[in-house]
Amino acid sequence: MEDDLMTIRQMCDAFDVTPRTLRFYEAKELIFPRRNGQKRLYDRRDRGRLKLILRGKRFGFALEEMRQLLNLYDRGDAQEEQLTRTYEAARERLAQMEQQRDELNEAIDELREQLEQGAEMMTAFRRPAA
C-alpha cells in the first residue's frame, strides 16, 4: 500500500499542478492527503479526485459544486446518486457552454461585419475626389 502513495512533488509532476494548488484543494476539502509529519502523501483516491477536479475546472464547474459531487462517492449506493447528479450537472454545463458559444459566434459575426464596413469607409477616404 505504501507504494501506492505519492508525495506532493510526484503529484505536481503527474498532474502538472503546483504545490500551492494541491494545498488549496486540500483546504477546500476536495482532497485529503495523509500526513507523515510535515509530509503530505496522496493515495489512489486522492489522485482520482484530483483528476476529476481538474476536469471539472476545465469544464467550468465551481469548486463547491465539485466538492459536493465528489462527496457523494461515500454514500454507499454504488455511486448511483453521484453518477446521476454528475450527469445532470454536466448536461446543464454543456447547455450553458453551447449558449455561450452561440453568443460568442454571434458577436464574432457582428464584429466581422463592422470591420468590413470600416475597411470600406477607409477605402472611400483614400479614393481621389472626382
Side-chain angles (χ1 to χ4, degrees):
M1 180 102 153
E2 287 295 316
D3 294 347
D4 197 43
L5 299 177
M6 292 176 73
T7 65
I8 197 167
R9 177 54 38 214
Q10 291 169 323
M11 286 286 282
C12 290
D13 292 343
F15 291 94
D16 195 28
V17 296
T18 64
R20 183 177 179 181
T21 298
L22 292 175
R23 289 189 297 270
F24 176 77
Y25 290 151
E26 181 182 355
K28 294 293 182 183
E29 298 179 343
L30 293 166
I31 56 176
F32 305 93
R34 296 179 192 176
R35 295 293 189 119
N36 184 0
Q38 292 290 340
K39 194 174 186 180
R40 289 174 169 87
L41 298 172
Y42 300 86
D43 61 18
R44 193 172 132 213
R45 182 170 186 228
D46 292 316
R47 290 192 298 276
R49 289 174 73 95
L50 182 59
K51 185 176 182 178
L52 292 172
I53 292 163
L54 295 174
R55 185 177 296 152
K57 180 181 167 193
R58 180 171 170 239
F59 296 146
F61 285 97
L63 289 179
E64 178 58 26
E65 185 175 18
M66 286 188 284
R67 187 182 67 73
Q68 290 173 7
L69 291 171
L70 288 169
N71 287 343
L72 292 173
Y73 182 83
D74 296 322
R75 291 210 99 151
D77 64 354
Q79 294 79 47
E80 181 181 359
E81 184 177 356
Q82 182 189 38
L83 180 58
T84 301
R85 294 208 16 217
T86 300
Y87 181 82
E88 288 304 316
R91 286 179 53 93
E92 289 173 15
R93 183 65 189 129
L94 178 59
Q96 291 170 353
M97 291 171 76
E98 288 174 337
Q99 181 179 353
Q100 288 173 332
R101 181 196 57 206
D102 293 345
E103 291 170 359
L104 185 56
N105 283 336
E106 189 177 310
I108 288 170
D109 291 343
E110 185 177 333
L111 183 55
R112 280 190 177 126
E113 288 176 21
Q114 292 295 311
L115 287 170
E116 287 174 18
Q117 290 175 6
E120 289 171 9
M121 291 174 71
M122 288 189 310
T123 300
F125 285 129
R126 292 186 194 125
R127 288 189 194 138

